[in-house]
Amino acid sequence: MIQKLIAGIERTGAPVVVGLDPMLSYIPEHIKKKAYEEYGETLKGAGEAIWQYNKGIIDAVYDLVPAVKPQIAMYEQFGIEGLIAFEKTVRYSKEKGLVVIGDVKRGDIGSTSQAYATGHLGKVQVGSREYTGFDEDFATVNPYLGSDGIQPFIDVCKKEKKGIFVLVKTSNKSSGEFQDRVVEGRPLYELVGEQVAKWGESCMGEDYSYVGAVVGATYPEMGRVLRRIMPKSYILVPGYGAQGGKGEDLVPFFNEDGLGAIVNSSRGIIAAYQQEKYARFGSMNYADASRAAVLDMKEDIARALSGRR
Amino acid sequence: MIQKLIAGIERTGAPVVVGLDPMLSYIPEHIKKKAYEEYGETLKGAGEAIWQYNKGIIDAVYDLVPAVKPQIAMYEQFGIEGLIAFEKTVRYSKEKGLVVIGDVKRGDIGSTSQAYATGHLGKVQVGSREYTGFDEDFATVNPYLGSDGIQPFIDVCKKEKKGIFVLVKTSNKSSGEFQDRVVEGRPLYELVGEQVAKWGESCMGEDYSYVGAVVGATYPEMGRVLRRIMPKSYILVPGYGAQGGKGEDLVPFFNEDGLGAIVNSSRGIIAAYQQEKYARFGSMNYADASRAAVLDMKEDIARALSGRR
């Protein structure tokens, strides 16, 4: 799947993933109105509004980017009905040829971690038959519990040719509270990065591993160091756009081959029509605004990367 | 909710939580057969088998213990149908007067963490109406992302009078890989424990905080230190039984008042009928075997705690 992701990045020229993190406040009124007319102001109505909103965005951007990253929390808050919208979003994105990174940040141990890996990336046995649960292509995983938590994911990745991105240095302000603590003269996130590189060795695609890392765009200097520590790991970079990261901040996350990183933007793309810059599209054409925002983001990143050559 | 948990512990004399972590291999054949006859060997059939199995156990133990802890991974692996079984299990447990600790180990930042908190502990707004998602009483939370990840949970806990247990030192073998790394002369888990104590100050019940901690029974000496660092935090202790923790190992997790800790056992109780010790019950009476295992666990803990007085 890392090969499919890289091929998609090369085909579209866009190391970009669109974060499908819908909030009801992002969804245009006409979509909500229609969903509530059909199902009432219910969890099912909310799920339907989210799904229709996502579908519009996917249809508008699927030819421009290699991947989408639905954030499961935004669906989970609506309970079962929200998760049905998540499942539909994953399935439809894959039908459109997109790689799906499930931003689930799961992490547990042993058989429990295995169950998460099964539910998100693998197949589950029921009697004599096999089924998929949510069936994303990649999942994000939390490393706090150590190798016992990661290994079951790696086992499933090997079997299914899927991948994970392990949280190393997150984009938020307080990420340093624990991640930056100095252990034997080096910050903890570097030690986590070294483990990611080690975990990744057992699970290689061609040039890159199935085991990637999450490093926030808001910390480009740390990104530079981590890039060296994990040369074979793809880095998923959140924090661009709404969280403050800029095109030039992204350069250190890429390898010399122009690969090695994929940058996420969520609100900046999916709610672009709410920004002054894209207000001309209006809420009826919210998906066109998202398309324009993707094109601008691609250009911003291409400019930053060409600048370094 | 921490008051309800403490009242339940005092009423039953059992600082015990039953981990509802069903695997299909634990479920007696007669339950699976019935579910598959009704729904086929499908995800729905698996969900039905899990739910009927859980219901039998809940009916057999609800008067003996204050709380249950469903591990959501075990449900999530079956996709939507598994999560419907999770939701039914939460609702039914609450109807029986049990406190429900959702073992979800979620952790993200800002609005995403808020969405998880909303989905598991809070209420979500849809138009002019409010709904609950999964509606557990407590949730377990991963601290790797720092205060940005925890604060949204605390905000919801204050509003809804619910609680969280933050992972501090997990019960697994490789938990030391990152958690034990020495920062300024002290292991990382102690620093996390200090933060738990600090987070908890803003969110107190009577004697204990709504913000508790997870510390594995497999590390009693670390438990002793953490007990002192977080005197007002309830400690949820996994790792008893199947993972190797014994009654005597539990003593350091409790305060002098005999409170302050609640011990989880999952497989040791829910699949008790598969152990030689309880084989006499047979699979038809699996729930009676679970009841016997709870009674034995209560006695083991009571003996260990009385031994220290």
Side-chain angles (χ1 to χ4, degrees), chain B residues 81-101:
Chain B
E81 295 295 341
L83 288 163
I84 289 173
F86 178 82
E87 191 188 37
K88 282 184 188 168
T89 300
V90 171
R91 196 182 315 130
Y92 188 70
S93 299
K94 288 167 72 172
E95 281 169 24
K96 294 302 244 183
L98 291 160
V99 170
V100 177
I101 302 170

mmCIF file with all atom_site columns, all heavy atoms in Angstrom, chain B residues 81-101:
data_model
loop_
_atom_site.group_PDB
_atom_site.id
_atom_site.type_symbol
_atom_site.label_atom_id
_atom_site.label_alt_id
_atom_site.label_comp_id
_atom_site.label_asym_id
_atom_site.label_entity_id
_atom_site.label_seq_id
_atom_site.pdbx_PDB_ins_code
_atom_site.Cartn_x
_atom_site.Cartn_y
_atom_site.Cartn_z
_atom_site.occupancy
_atom_site.B_iso_or_equiv
_atom_site.pdbx_formal_charge
_atom_site.auth_seq_id
_atom_site.auth_comp_id
_atom_site.auth_asym_id
_atom_site.auth_atom_id
_atom_site.pdbx_PDB_model_num
ATOM 1   N N   . GLU B 1 81  ? -21.278 -3.628 13.307 1.00 0.00 ? 81  GLU B N   1
ATOM 2   C CA  . GLU B 1 81  ? -22.068 -4.610 14.057 1.00 0.00 ? 81  GLU B CA  1
ATOM 3   C C   . GLU B 1 81  ? -21.448 -4.903 15.423 1.00 0.00 ? 81  GLU B C   1
ATOM 4   O O   . GLU B 1 81  ? -22.156 -5.106 16.407 1.00 0.00 ? 81  GLU B O   1
ATOM 5   C CB  . GLU B 1 81  ? -22.208 -5.907 13.254 1.00 0.00 ? 81  GLU B CB  1
ATOM 6   C CG  . GLU B 1 81  ? -22.997 -5.755 11.962 1.00 0.00 ? 81  GLU B CG  1
ATOM 7   C CD  . GLU B 1 81  ? -24.466 -5.380 12.191 1.00 0.00 ? 81  GLU B CD  1
ATOM 8   O OE1 . GLU B 1 81  ? -24.976 -5.583 13.313 1.00 0.00 ? 81  GLU B OE1 1
ATOM 9   O OE2 . GLU B 1 81  ? -25.089 -4.877 11.245 1.00 0.00 ? 81  GLU B OE2 1
ATOM 10  N N   . GLY B 1 82  ? -20.133 -4.895 15.488 1.00 0.00 ? 82  GLY B N   1
ATOM 11  C CA  . GLY B 1 82  ? -19.473 -5.061 16.775 1.00 0.00 ? 82  GLY B CA  1
ATOM 12  C C   . GLY B 1 82  ? -19.751 -3.889 17.694 1.00 0.00 ? 82  GLY B C   1
ATOM 13  O O   . GLY B 1 82  ? -19.993 -4.060 18.894 1.00 0.00 ? 82  GLY B O   1
ATOM 14  N N   . LEU B 1 83  ? -19.740 -2.688 17.115 1.00 0.00 ? 83  LEU B N   1
ATOM 15  C CA  . LEU B 1 83  ? -19.963 -1.495 17.934 1.00 0.00 ? 83  LEU B CA  1
ATOM 16  C C   . LEU B 1 83  ? -21.409 -1.390 18.404 1.00 0.00 ? 83  LEU B C   1
ATOM 17  O O   . LEU B 1 83  ? -21.683 -0.824 19.461 1.00 0.00 ? 83  LEU B O   1
ATOM 18  C CB  . LEU B 1 83  ? -19.509 -0.250 17.166 1.00 0.00 ? 83  LEU B CB  1
ATOM 19  C CG  . LEU B 1 83  ? -17.969 -0.196 17.080 1.00 0.00 ? 83  LEU B CG  1
ATOM 20  C CD1 . LEU B 1 83  ? -17.513 0.769  15.987 1.00 0.00 ? 83  LEU B CD1 1
ATOM 21  C CD2 . LEU B 1 83  ? -17.354 0.205  18.421 1.00 0.00 ? 83  LEU B CD2 1
ATOM 22  N N   . ILE B 1 84  ? -22.323 -1.965 17.633 1.00 0.00 ? 84  ILE B N   1
ATOM 23  C CA  . ILE B 1 84  ? -23.711 -2.034 18.123 1.00 0.00 ? 84  ILE B CA  1
ATOM 24  C C   . ILE B 1 84  ? -23.756 -2.933 19.364 1.00 0.00 ? 84  ILE B C   1
ATOM 25  O O   . ILE B 1 84  ? -24.438 -2.621 20.342 1.00 0.00 ? 84  ILE B O   1
ATOM 26  C CB  . ILE B 1 84  ? -24.650 -2.540 17.001 1.00 0.00 ? 84  ILE B CB  1
ATOM 27  C CG1 . ILE B 1 84  ? -24.788 -1.444 15.927 1.00 0.00 ? 84  ILE B CG1 1
ATOM 28  C CG2 . ILE B 1 84  ? -26.022 -2.939 17.552 1.00 0.00 ? 84  ILE B CG2 1
ATOM 29  C CD1 . ILE B 1 84  ? -25.545 -1.868 14.674 1.00 0.00 ? 84  ILE B CD1 1
ATOM 30  N N   . ALA B 1 85  ? -23.009 -4.023 19.357 1.00 0.00 ? 85  ALA B N   1
ATOM 31  C CA  . ALA B 1 85  ? -22.940 -4.892 20.540 1.00 0.00 ? 85  ALA B CA  1
ATOM 32  C C   . ALA B 1 85  ? -22.301 -4.149 21.722 1.00 0.00 ? 85  ALA B C   1
ATOM 33  O O   . ALA B 1 85  ? -22.720 -4.303 22.881 1.00 0.00 ? 85  ALA B O   1
ATOM 34  C CB  . ALA B 1 85  ? -22.153 -6.166 20.226 1.00 0.00 ? 85  ALA B CB  1
ATOM 35  N N   . PHE B 1 86  ? -21.305 -3.316 21.423 1.00 0.00 ? 86  PHE B N   1
ATOM 36  C CA  . PHE B 1 86  ? -20.676 -2.501 22.474 1.00 0.00 ? 86  PHE B CA  1
ATOM 37  C C   . PHE B 1 86  ? -21.709 -1.565 23.096 1.00 0.00 ? 86  PHE B C   1
ATOM 38  O O   . PHE B 1 86  ? -21.839 -1.474 24.318 1.00 0.00 ? 86  PHE B O   1
ATOM 39  C CB  . PHE B 1 86  ? -19.524 -1.691 21.869 1.00 0.00 ? 86  PHE B CB  1
ATOM 40  C CG  . PHE B 1 86  ? -18.819 -0.764 22.835 1.00 0.00 ? 86  PHE B CG  1
ATOM 41  C CD1 . PHE B 1 86  ? -17.831 -1.240 23.680 1.00 0.00 ? 86  PHE B CD1 1
ATOM 42  C CD2 . PHE B 1 86  ? -19.142 0.586  22.896 1.00 0.00 ? 86  PHE B CD2 1
ATOM 43  C CE1 . PHE B 1 86  ? -17.168 -0.390 24.561 1.00 0.00 ? 86  PHE B CE1 1
ATOM 44  C CE2 . PHE B 1 86  ? -18.496 1.452  23.784 1.00 0.00 ? 86  PHE B CE2 1
ATOM 45  C CZ  . PHE B 1 86  ? -17.497 0.953  24.611 1.00 0.00 ? 86  PHE B CZ  1
ATOM 46  N N   . GLU B 1 87  ? -22.455 -0.889 22.230 1.00 0.00 ? 87  GLU B N   1
ATOM 47  C CA  . GLU B 1 87  ? -23.452 0.074  22.703 1.00 0.00 ? 87  GLU B CA  1
ATOM 48  C C   . GLU B 1 87  ? -24.515 -0.616 23.563 1.00 0.00 ? 87  GLU B C   1
ATOM 49  O O   . GLU B 1 87  ? -24.903 -0.118 24.621 1.00 0.00 ? 87  GLU B O   1
ATOM 50  C CB  . GLU B 1 87  ? -24.102 0.729  21.470 1.00 0.00 ? 87  GLU B CB  1
ATOM 51  C CG  . GLU B 1 87  ? -24.951 1.930  21.787 1.00 0.00 ? 87  GLU B CG  1
ATOM 52  C CD  . GLU B 1 87  ? -25.727 2.405  20.564 1.00 0.00 ? 87  GLU B CD  1
ATOM 53  O OE1 . GLU B 1 87  ? -26.192 1.562  19.757 1.00 0.00 ? 87  GLU B OE1 1
ATOM 54  O OE2 . GLU B 1 87  ? -25.863 3.629  20.397 1.00 0.00 ? 87  GLU B OE2 1
ATOM 55  N N   . LYS B 1 88  ? -24.983 -1.766 23.105 1.00 0.00 ? 88  LYS B N   1
ATOM 56  C CA  . LYS B 1 88  ? -25.979 -2.515 23.888 1.00 0.00 ? 88  LYS B CA  1
ATOM 57  C C   . LYS B 1 88  ? -25.415 -2.920 25.241 1.00 0.00 ? 88  LYS B C   1
ATOM 58  O O   . LYS B 1 88  ? -26.106 -2.892 26.256 1.00 0.00 ? 88  LYS B O   1
ATOM 59  C CB  . LYS B 1 88  ? -26.375 -3.800 23.133 1.00 0.00 ? 88  LYS B CB  1
ATOM 60  C CG  . LYS B 1 88  ? -27.343 -3.597 21.996 1.00 0.00 ? 88  LYS B CG  1
ATOM 61  C CD  . LYS B 1 88  ? -27.694 -4.997 21.443 1.00 0.00 ? 88  LYS B CD  1
ATOM 62  C CE  . LYS B 1 88  ? -28.509 -4.911 20.173 1.00 0.00 ? 88  LYS B CE  1
ATOM 63  N NZ  . LYS B 1 88  ? -28.598 -6.234 19.507 1.00 0.00 ? 88  LYS B NZ  1
ATOM 64  N N   . THR B 1 89  ? -24.140 -3.324 25.240 1.00 0.00 ? 89  THR B N   1
ATOM 65  C CA  . THR B 1 89  ? -23.499 -3.768 26.480 1.00 0.00 ? 89  THR B CA  1
ATOM 66  C C   . THR B 1 89  ? -23.393 -2.618 27.466 1.00 0.00 ? 89  THR B C   1
ATOM 67  O O   . THR B 1 89  ? -23.662 -2.783 28.667 1.00 0.00 ? 89  THR B O   1
ATOM 68  C CB  . THR B 1 89  ? -22.098 -4.340 26.151 1.00 0.00 ? 89  THR B CB  1
ATOM 69  O OG1 . THR B 1 89  ? -22.256 -5.448 25.266 1.00 0.00 ? 89  THR B OG1 1
ATOM 70  C CG2 . THR B 1 89  ? -21.372 -4.784 27.411 1.00 0.00 ? 89  THR B CG2 1
ATOM 71  N N   . VAL B 1 90  ? -23.010 -1.435 26.972 1.00 0.00 ? 90  VAL B N   1
ATOM 72  C CA  . VAL B 1 90  ? -22.921 -0.261 27.845 1.00 0.00 ? 90  VAL B CA  1
ATOM 73  C C   . VAL B 1 90  ? -24.300 0.040  28.430 1.00 0.00 ? 90  VAL B C   1
ATOM 74  O O   . VAL B 1 90  ? -24.454 0.226  29.648 1.00 0.00 ? 90  VAL B O   1
ATOM 75  C CB  . VAL B 1 90  ? -22.398 0.971  27.060 1.00 0.00 ? 90  VAL B CB  1
ATOM 76  C CG1 . VAL B 1 90  ? -22.512 2.240  27.898 1.00 0.00 ? 90  VAL B CG1 1
ATOM 77  C CG2 . VAL B 1 90  ? -20.944 0.750  26.618 1.00 0.00 ? 90  VAL B CG2 1
ATOM 78  N N   . ARG B 1 91  ? -25.300 0.075  27.565 1.00 0.00 ? 91  ARG B N   1
ATOM 79  C CA  . ARG B 1 91  ? -26.633 0.479  28.019 1.00 0.00 ? 91  ARG B CA  1
ATOM 80  C C   . ARG B 1 91  ? -27.187 -0.516 29.040 1.00 0.00 ? 91  ARG B C   1
ATOM 81  O O   . ARG B 1 91  ? -27.697 -0.134 30.095 1.00 0.00 ? 91  ARG B O   1
ATOM 82  C CB  . ARG B 1 91  ? -27.580 0.608  26.813 1.00 0.00 ? 91  ARG B CB  1
ATOM 83  C CG  . ARG B 1 91  ? -28.828 1.383  27.183 1.00 0.00 ? 91  ARG B CG  1
ATOM 84  C CD  . ARG B 1 91  ? -29.835 1.507  26.035 1.00 0.00 ? 91  ARG B CD  1
ATOM 85  N NE  . ARG B 1 91  ? -29.210 1.852  24.793 1.00 0.00 ? 91  ARG B NE  1
ATOM 86  C CZ  . ARG B 1 91  ? -29.418 1.191  23.631 1.00 0.00 ? 91  ARG B CZ  1
ATOM 87  N NH1 . ARG B 1 91  ? -30.242 0.155  23.598 1.00 0.00 ? 91  ARG B NH1 1
ATOM 88  N NH2 . ARG B 1 91  ? -28.817 1.572  22.531 1.00 0.00 ? 91  ARG B NH2 1
ATOM 89  N N   . TYR B 1 92  ? -27.033 -1.798 28.749 1.00 0.00 ? 92  TYR B N   1
ATOM 90  C CA  . TYR B 1 92  ? -27.582 -2.825 29.643 1.00 0.00 ? 92  TYR B CA  1
ATOM 91  C C   . TYR B 1 92  ? -26.851 -2.822 30.991 1.00 0.00 ? 92  TYR B C   1
ATOM 92  O O   . TYR B 1 92  ? -27.484 -2.945 32.042 1.00 0.00 ? 92  TYR B O   1
ATOM 93  C CB  . TYR B 1 92  ? -27.478 -4.201 28.981 1.00 0.00 ? 92  TYR B CB  1
ATOM 94  C CG  . TYR B 1 92  ? -28.179 -5.285 29.748 1.00 0.00 ? 92  TYR B CG  1
ATOM 95  C CD1 . TYR B 1 92  ? -29.563 -5.318 29.828 1.00 0.00 ? 92  TYR B CD1 1
ATOM 96  C CD2 . TYR B 1 92  ? -27.452 -6.278 30.417 1.00 0.00 ? 92  TYR B CD2 1
ATOM 97  C CE1 . TYR B 1 92  ? -30.219 -6.307 30.547 1.00 0.00 ? 92  TYR B CE1 1
ATOM 98  C CE2 . TYR B 1 92  ? -28.095 -7.282 31.126 1.00 0.00 ? 92  TYR B CE2 1
ATOM 99  C CZ  . TYR B 1 92  ? -29.484 -7.289 31.188 1.00 0.00 ? 92  TYR B CZ  1
ATOM 100 O OH  . TYR B 1 92  ? -30.122 -8.273 31.894 1.00 0.00 ? 92  TYR B OH  1
ATOM 101 N N   . SER B 1 93  ? -25.549 -2.638 30.955 1.00 0.00 ? 93  SER B N   1
ATOM 102 C CA  . SER B 1 93  ? -24.778 -2.603 32.207 1.00 0.00 ? 93  SER B CA  1
ATOM 103 C C   . SER B 1 93  ? -25.262 -1.465 33.095 1.00 0.00 ? 93  SER B C   1
ATOM 104 O O   . SER B 1 93  ? -25.395 -1.624 34.319 1.00 0.00 ? 93  SER B O   1
ATOM 105 C CB  . SER B 1 93  ? -23.285 -2.416 31.908 1.00 0.00 ? 93  SER B CB  1
ATOM 106 O OG  . SER B 1 93  ? -22.793 -3.488 31.133 1.00 0.00 ? 93  SER B OG  1
ATOM 107 N N   . LYS B 1 94  ? -25.524 -0.315 32.476 1.00 0.00 ? 94  LYS B N   1
ATOM 108 C CA  . LYS B 1 94  ? -26.001 0.827  33.244 1.00 0.00 ? 94  LYS B CA  1
ATOM 109 C C   . LYS B 1 94  ? -27.402 0.572  33.808 1.00 0.00 ? 94  LYS B C   1
ATOM 110 O O   . LYS B 1 94  ? -27.693 0.927  34.955 1.00 0.00 ? 94  LYS B O   1
ATOM 111 C CB  . LYS B 1 94  ? -25.968 2.091  32.378 1.00 0.00 ? 94  LYS B CB  1
ATOM 112 C CG  . LYS B 1 94  ? -24.528 2.565  32.146 1.00 0.00 ? 94  LYS B CG  1
ATOM 113 C CD  . LYS B 1 94  ? -24.398 3.597  31.063 1.00 0.00 ? 94  LYS B CD  1
ATOM 114 C CE  . LYS B 1 94  ? -24.941 4.930  31.483 1.00 0.00 ? 94  LYS B CE  1
ATOM 115 N NZ  . LYS B 1 94  ? -24.643 5.978  30.472 1.00 0.00 ? 94  LYS B NZ  1
ATOM 116 N N   . GLU B 1 95  ? -28.238 -0.077 33.008 1.00 0.00 ? 95  GLU B N   1
ATOM 117 C CA  . GLU B 1 95  ? -29.576 -0.440 33.510 1.00 0.00 ? 95  GLU B CA  1
ATOM 118 C C   . GLU B 1 95  ? -29.480 -1.334 34.746 1.00 0.00 ? 95  GLU B C   1
ATOM 119 O O   . GLU B 1 95  ? -30.323 -1.260 35.637 1.00 0.00 ? 95  GLU B O   1
ATOM 120 C CB  . GLU B 1 95  ? -30.365 -1.200 32.433 1.00 0.00 ? 95  GLU B CB  1
ATOM 121 C CG  . GLU B 1 95  ? -30.978 -0.298 31.368 1.00 0.00 ? 95  GLU B CG  1
ATOM 122 C CD  . GLU B 1 95  ? -31.531 -1.110 30.175 1.00 0.00 ? 95  GLU B CD  1
ATOM 123 O OE1 . GLU B 1 95  ? -31.854 -2.312 30.366 1.00 0.00 ? 95  GLU B OE1 1
ATOM 124 O OE2 . GLU B 1 95  ? -31.594 -0.536 29.086 1.00 0.00 ? 95  GLU B OE2 1
ATOM 125 N N   . LYS B 1 96  ? -28.431 -2.155 34.792 1.00 0.00 ? 96  LYS B N   1
ATOM 126 C CA  . LYS B 1 96  ? -28.263 -3.052 35.942 1.00 0.00 ? 96  LYS B CA  1
ATOM 127 C C   . LYS B 1 96  ? -27.550 -2.348 37.102 1.00 0.00 ? 96  LYS B C   1
ATOM 128 O O   . LYS B 1 96  ? -27.169 -2.999 38.080 1.00 0.00 ? 96  LYS B O   1
ATOM 129 C CB  . LYS B 1 96  ? -27.451 -4.283 35.531 1.00 0.00 ? 96  LYS B CB  1
ATOM 130 C CG  . LYS B 1 96  ? -28.175 -5.182 34.529 1.00 0.00 ? 96  LYS B CG  1
ATOM 131 C CD  . LYS B 1 96  ? -29.506 -5.669 35.055 1.00 0.00 ? 96  LYS B CD  1
ATOM 132 C CE  . LYS B 1 96  ? -29.563 -7.157 35.246 1.00 0.00 ? 96  LYS B CE  1
ATOM 133 N NZ  . LYS B 1 96  ? -30.915 -7.591 35.693 1.00 0.00 ? 96  LYS B NZ  1
ATOM 134 N N   . GLY B 1 97  ? -27.317 -1.055 36.978 1.00 0.00 ? 97  GLY B N   1
ATOM 135 C CA  . GLY B 1 97  ? -26.719 -0.295 38.083 1.00 0.00 ? 97  GLY B CA  1
ATOM 136 C C   . GLY B 1 97  ? -25.203 -0.301 38.092 1.00 0.00 ? 97  GLY B C   1
ATOM 137 O O   . GLY B 1 97  ? -24.584 0.186  39.042 1.00 0.00 ? 97  GLY B O   1
ATOM 138 N N   . LEU B 1 98  ? -24.596 -0.864 37.073 1.00 0.00 ? 98  LEU B N   1
ATOM 139 C CA  . LEU B 1 98  ? -23.133 -0.915 37.023 1.00 0.00 ? 98  LEU B CA  1
ATOM 140 C C   . LEU B 1 98  ? -22.556 0.385  36.464 1.00 0.00 ? 98  LEU B C   1
ATOM 141 O O   . LEU B 1 98  ? -23.143 1.010  35.580 1.00 0.00 ? 98  LEU B O   1
ATOM 142 C CB  . LEU B 1 98  ? -22.685 -2.082 36.131 1.00 0.00 ? 98  LEU B CB  1
ATOM 143 C CG  . LEU B 1 98  ? -22.969 -3.475 36.705 1.00 0.00 ? 98  LEU B CG  1
ATOM 144 C CD1 . LEU B 1 98  ? -22.966 -4.529 35.589 1.00 0.00 ? 98  LEU B CD1 1
ATOM 145 C CD2 . LEU B 1 98  ? -21.941 -3.838 37.782 1.00 0.00 ? 98  LEU B CD2 1
ATOM 146 N N   . VAL B 1 99  ? -21.398 0.770  36.989 1.00 0.00 ? 99  VAL B N   1
ATOM 147 C CA  . VAL B 1 99  ? -20.618 1.853  36.404 1.00 0.00 ? 99  VAL B CA  1
ATOM 148 C C   . VAL B 1 99  ? -19.877 1.265  35.201 1.00 0.00 ? 99  VAL B C   1
ATOM 149 O O   . VAL B 1 99  ? -19.340 0.159  35.282 1.00 0.00 ? 99  VAL B O   1
ATOM 150 C CB  . VAL B 1 99  ? -19.615 2.420  37.432 1.00 0.00 ? 99  VAL B CB  1
ATOM 151 C CG1 . VAL B 1 99  ? -18.630 3.380  36.766 1.00 0.00 ? 99  VAL B CG1 1
ATOM 152 C CG2 . VAL B 1 99  ? -20.363 3.112  38.575 1.00 0.00 ? 99  VAL B CG2 1
ATOM 153 N N   . VAL B 1 100 ? -19.869 2.003  34.092 1.00 0.00 ? 100 VAL B N   1
ATOM 154 C CA  . VAL B 1 100 ? -19.230 1.492  32.881 1.00 0.00 ? 100 VAL B CA  1
ATOM 155 C C   . VAL B 1 100 ? -17.966 2.289  32.552 1.00 0.00 ? 100 VAL B C   1
ATOM 156 O O   . VAL B 1 100 ? -18.018 3.498  32.324 1.00 0.00 ? 100 VAL B O   1
ATOM 157 C CB  . VAL B 1 100 ? -20.186 1.538  31.677 1.00 0.00 ? 100 VAL B CB  1
ATOM 158 C CG1 . VAL B 1 100 ? -19.477 1.069  30.406 1.00 0.00 ? 100 VAL B CG1 1
ATOM 159 C CG2 . VAL B 1 100 ? -21.412 0.672  31.946 1.00 0.00 ? 100 VAL B CG2 1
ATOM 160 N N   . ILE B 1 101 ? -16.845 1.585  32.575 1.00 0.00 ? 101 ILE B N   1
ATOM 161 C CA  . ILE B 1 101 ? -15.574 2.188  32.177 1.00 0.00 ? 101 ILE B CA  1
ATOM 162 C C   . ILE B 1 101 ? -15.301 1.762  30.745 1.00 0.00 ? 101 ILE B C   1
ATOM 163 O O   . ILE B 1 101 ? -15.040 0.587  30.469 1.00 0.00 ? 101 ILE B O   1
ATOM 164 C CB  . ILE B 1 101 ? -14.433 1.706  33.105 1.00 0.00 ? 101 ILE B CB  1
ATOM 165 C CG1 . ILE B 1 101 ? -14.750 2.064  34.560 1.00 0.00 ? 101 ILE B CG1 1
ATOM 166 C CG2 . ILE B 1 101 ? -13.092 2.320  32.660 1.00 0.00 ? 101 ILE B CG2 1
ATOM 167 C CD1 . ILE B 1 101 ? -13.810 1.425  35.582 1.00 0.00 ? 101 ILE B CD1 1
#
